[in-house]
Amino acid sequence: MADAEADDGKSLNRDPLLLMVPIHIVTSASQLPSEFLEPSPGKQLIIGFDCEGVDLCRHGTLCIMQIAFPDAIYLVDVVQGGDAIMTACKPALESNNVVKVIHDCKRDSEALYFQFGIKLHNVVDTQIAYSLIEEQEGRKKSPDDYISFVGLLADPQYCGISYLEKQEVRVLLRQDPDFWTYRPLSEQMVRAAADDVRFLLHIYHKMMEKMNERTLWQLAVRGALYCRCFCINDNDYVDWPTIPQMPENLVAEGDIMEEEILSVLNVPPGKMGCIIGRRGASILSIKESCNAEILIGGAKGPPDKVFIIGPVKQVRKAEAMLRGRMLDV
């Protein structure tokens, strides 16, 4: 097992207690903890999780998979380990006994599904959790106000950390999209990959302290729906795990909370512009009118589809409005 230096002290103002863990570069499944490779119903495992690659989506290339434990960080080298190492990791990534803490799961899930047949399951998406906590505490956000990972780290409620190196890596990726394919991994690559998961478990515990039973259920459901939304295929997700059921004791204002769903709307060729509108004005107005998330694949795809996630009535309302925009000449 190749070990890497955990920190050079340059860019993150970090809590030393969160830093002193070894970083392992993994090219064989035998280098991963057995508790990860063989999930046990009797012991729930919570890990920080992320993926890096080239144009990460169904058509891109997944290069590194980062797994954070409280006492170590593992960088799974998919370029070197190939299908064998991903096959070994599949049970854990699909397991209900392993909680995967991740920030914005959509593209990672899409890459795992289409490149390796892995259905990412049981995630805690910190981007979703942040929005739910803000809503729970009475703070409103605009429809397109999604917290970035850098923004989340900077929030003093969770870390209060400046992550300057993230921007440096983004510049490098723009200059050379194949950045994550090069081997051996450079010190900068190791550090950047590790820093993307290093604080996720700390943030997870901070968030769990804030969330009530209602928002915890919404987090589980939306995490499951976000994992599958860009993984659209011809079988309507029948091969995916079931969506978490609403706890019987959850009651909102005397009524059982409304089920949340994912709807995929097909857009006729040439009509996506009518939905998006000039500078996004059309789709933004629909988002402002409905308590639902509305997502499009953009340049990475899937093309000609709109994904709507939220309570059933709000999703149906958004569908109707979107269909109306498709009829505009």
Side-chain angles (χ1 to χ4, degrees):
M1 180 185 298
D3 288 6
E5 192 69 28
D7 179 48
D8 71 348
K10 285 198 284 190
S11 17
L12 295 177
N13 301 316
R14 308 170 178 124
D15 180 346
L17 294 177
L18 297 173
L19 293 180
M20 303 306 294
V21 297
I23 301 171
H24 306 301
I25 299 171
V26 175
T27 57
S28 169
S30 63
Q31 297 169 292
L32 288 167
S34 59
E35 60 182 324
F36 173 77
L37 295 173
E38 301 171 3
S40 169
K43 181 181 180 182
Q44 187 181 63
L45 186 64
I46 304 170
I47 61 169
F49 184 73
D50 191 28
C51 298
E52 308 293 350
V54 180
D55 194 25
L56 200 62
C57 64
R58 67 183 63 197
H59 303 300
T61 303
L62 197 158
C63 299
I64 298 174
M65 193 169 66
Q66 304 105 290
I67 303 168
F69 287 77
D71 58 352
I73 295 171
Y74 296 85
L75 305 183
V76 178
D77 188 343
V78 184
V79 172
Q80 297 289 331
D83 290 343
I85 201 164
M86 295 305 291
T87 298
C89 291
K90 181 174 180 175
L93 299 181
E94 295 186 340
S95 175
N96 200 47
N97 301 311
V98 181
V99 177
K100 279 69 70 173
V101 185
I102 184 172
H103 190 84
D104 192 3
C105 63
K106 298 186 292 296
R107 293 300 183 187
D108 300 65
S109 179
E110 182 185 19
L112 288 166
Y113 182 65
F114 284 103
Q115 295 178 39
F116 299 101
I118 294 170
K119 296 177 281 290
L120 187 62
H121 177 59
N122 196 21
V123 305
V124 168
D125 190 318
T126 54
Q127 188 175 71
I128 300 170
Y130 184 91
S131 293
L132 288 169
I133 292 168
E134 292 292 288
E135 181 181 332
Q136 175 184 294
E137 297 182 351
R139 292 184 287 272
K140 293 186 177 181
K141 69 179 185 71
S142 64
D144 281 338
D145 186 18
Y146 303 108
I147 188 77
S148 69
F149 186 55
V150 172
L152 179 62
L153 287 178
D155 191 321
Q157 297 181 88
Y158 302 108
C159 273
I161 290 170
S162 175
Y163 192 178
L164 299 178
E165 190 174 46
K166 186 73 171 179
Q167 184 57 38
E168 296 175 12
V169 173
R170 285 174 178 163
V171 170
L172 289 173
L173 285 169
R174 284 195 294 269
Q175 294 171 346
D176 184 359
D178 293 329
F179 175 79
W180 290 113
T181 67
Y182 300 128
R183 297 297 180 271
L185 295 172
S186 68
E187 180 183 341
Q188 183 181 38
M189 294 167 78
V190 170
R191 189 171 60 244
D195 282 346
D196 275 356
V197 294
R198 187 189 302 274
F199 303 98
L200 283 173
L201 296 181
H202 175 78
I203 292 170
Y204 166 82
H205 291 296
K206 291 284 187 180
M207 288 181 159
M208 291 301 104
E209 292 172 2
K210 293 175 176 287
M211 302 187 83
N212 60 31
E213 193 170 1
R214 172 189 175 123
T215 50
L216 284 171
W217 173 74
Q218 290 176 307
L219 176 63
V221 171
R222 292 183 192 177
L225 295 176
Y226 274 70
C227 272
R228 68 182 63 192
C229 72
F230 287 158
C231 300
I232 182 74
N233 56 24
D234 296 331
N235 66 8
D236 197 27
Y237 305 109
V238 295
D239 56 336
W240 282 73
T242 57
I243 301 298
Q245 294 296 305
M246 186 187 307
E248 293 182 1
N249 62 327
L250 263 188
V251 176
E253 297 180 357
D255 296 317
I256 295 176
M257 289 175 60
E258 191 173 6
E259 178 188 7
E260 299 206 0
I261 62 170
L262 163 65
S263 173
V264 182
L265 201 61
N266 293 311
V267 180
K271 289 293 184 179
M272 187 62 80
C274 297
I275 286 176
I276 297 173
R278 188 172 184 179
R279 297 183 179 176
S282 179
I283 197 168
L284 182 60
S285 69
I286 297 173
K287 290 180 179 182
E288 289 172 342
S289 301
C290 306
N291 184 23
E293 298 288 347
I294 303 174
L295 307 166
I296 57 174
K300 291 185 177 181
D304 300 325
K305 295 186 187 298
V306 177
F307 302 87
I308 314 165
I309 295 173
V312 175
K313 290 179 182 177
Q314 296 299 316
V315 168
R316 300 307 179 214
K317 180 180 177 182
E319 287 175 341
M321 296 179 72
L322 288 164
R323 289 193 176 99
R325 297 297 167 91
M326 292 181 209
L327 297 177
D328 291 346
V329 178

